[in-house]
Amino acid sequence: MTSRIVAVLNQKGGVGKTTTTVNLAHALARMGKKITVIDFDPQSHLAVALGVVSKQQTGIDEIMLGQATFSQQQIPVRENLNLIVAGPRLQEIEQLCEGGSHRGDLLRKALASGTNERDLIFIDCPPSSGILVANALFAVEELLVPMTSDYLALQGLSHLMGTIKKFETVLNKKFRLKLVMSRYIPTRRLSKDVVSTLKKYFPNQILATPIRETASLAECPSFGKTVFEYRPGWRSAKDFEALAGDFLESRVM
Ligand SMILES: Nc1ncnc2c1ncn2[C@@H]1O[C@H](COP(=O)(O)OP(=O)(O)O)[C@@H](O)[C@H]1O
Ligand SMILES: [Mg+2]
């Protein structure tokens, strides 16, 4: 069995990529799936959100540089949930990469072996459309795009879709794409308007459960806890449990 490798992607910052990665991954791990999350943002927010703060630890950086293997770099952080940190040299890779087109292929090669023992691998992408994101697009067949429901998010999405289409043409592949509504405010009319617009452009591609905006989700990272630890049974935990089911069964709006 080969593992599903999913890039959590949106070039816009603050849309909920890291929040989605942490809590969806933990929800799936709690269901018994073997999950690895990769912190692919040099800012290391994913590691912090999971309570791992060591700056010195190497991670995906050394796998990409051929100095460590996927299996070696995994840190067990919860039951069934492993983390691969960004590592201090990920930023360097981003800069080093300018110019050399083969550099786009480092992540795909890094994930070519050792990944089979995991059911699912999530890559928490940085908020950019630089070489790291290119590496993610080279490496995966599947994309999960967190989306806020405001007007500028719609604008940003059309830019992202342009990038994705370009890669599909160049790499001669078709991504499996799903959107997740994140930071959703159900009482806002604009939220509903944005969702209905999105449904027209992405039929059967928006996961059924929107993740609501809540104070507890904003508070979680400062405690290094997932929502299942910080507010078990609370509505955000329920949102992510439902989303995990949507994800596994491809339930859409
Ligand atoms: N559903 C939500 N409700 C409340 N706060 C949220 C929610 N999703 C994300 N946030 C907060 O918004 C900020 C940006 O989210 P984050 O997941 O880090 O976005 P990204 O990884 O796309 O930059 C963080 O402070 C996070 O805690
Ligand atoms: Mg992030």
Side-chain angles (χ1 to χ4, degrees):
M1 196 205 68
T2 56
S3 50
R4 279 170 78 177
I5 309 180
V6 183
V8 183
L9 181 88
N10 191 328
Q11 82 285 4
K12 206 163 178 293
V15 297
K17 292 182 289 296
T18 301
T19 305
T20 302
T21 307
V22 167
N23 294 295
L24 176 61
H26 197 201
L28 291 163
R30 284 160 47 92
M31 292 170 163
K33 302 283 174 197
K34 291 193 172 19
I35 314 283
T36 295
V37 288
I38 299 176
D39 193 345
F40 209 44
D41 184 344
Q43 297 178 93
S44 299
H45 288 167
L46 179 69
V48 172
L50 283 163
V52 176
V53 288
S54 157
K55 285 242 165 16
Q56 293 316 309
Q57 198 136 23
T58 69
I60 192 66
D61 57 345
E62 297 226 323
I63 309 178
M64 290 171 79
L65 295 167
Q67 287 159 356
T69 65
F70 178 80
S71 310
Q72 280 169 344
Q73 297 299 72
Q74 298 197 60
I75 308 167
V77 285
R78 305 290 188 276
E79 193 178 355
N80 292 329
L81 179 59
N82 291 352
L83 165 71
I84 295 181
V85 299
R89 297 176 72 189
L90 192 63
Q91 185 132 43
E92 219 177 281
I93 291 173
E94 181 152 43
Q95 285 143 10
L96 216 158
C97 281
E98 276 162 27
S101 61
H102 68 287
R103 294 280 179 181
D105 208 22
L106 292 175
L107 183 65
R108 190 186 64 80
K109 288 194 182 127
L111 299 181
S113 66
T115 52
N116 283 3
E117 68 220 46
R118 312 304 294 167
D119 295 317
L120 269 155
I121 296 162
F122 290 98
I123 303 167
D124 182 26
C125 289
S128 68
S129 38
I131 196 75
L132 290 178
V133 169
N135 267 275
L137 288 168
F138 263 92
V140 306
E141 308 296 322
E142 210 174 322
L143 306 174
L144 182 63
V145 176
M147 233 336 254
T148 53
S149 32
D150 54 88
Y151 178 69
L152 289 178
L154 276 181
Q155 296 270 305
L157 188 60
S158 68
H159 177 249
L160 179 65
M161 290 315 295
T163 307
I164 291 172
K165 287 265 147 59
K166 237 182 268 166
F167 273 86
E168 285 188 327
T169 308
V170 172
L171 302 174
N172 192 27
K173 68 177 176 188
K174 189 108 184 90
F175 292 108
R176 197 168 145 194
L177 172 79
K178 288 283 186 297
L179 270 54
V180 50
M181 298 313 302
S182 60
R183 316 196 63 171
Y184 189 73
I185 305 172
T187 51
R188 247 190 220 170
R189 206 192 66 200
L190 180 62
S191 303
K192 287 172 197 141
D193 290 349
V194 169
V195 169
S196 50
T197 304
L198 282 173
K199 274 199 222 165
K200 276 183 215 141
Y201 288 99
F202 299 94
N204 302 318
Q205 288 179 296
I206 310 172
L207 291 177
T209 309
I211 303 300
R212 289 167 285 184
E213 175 93 16
T214 63
S216 48
L217 275 178
E219 288 158 14
C220 277
S222 59
F223 297 95
K225 288 181 173 175
T226 73
V227 74
F228 300 101
E229 297 155 343
Y230 185 62
R231 288 282 183 267
W234 184 240
R235 62 181 165 147
S236 295
K238 291 196 174 123
D239 283 353
F240 274 105
E241 246 156 29
L243 187 73
D246 298 343
F247 180 83
L248 292 178
E249 287 159 34
S250 292
R251 276 199 304 260
V252 292
M253 285 185 183

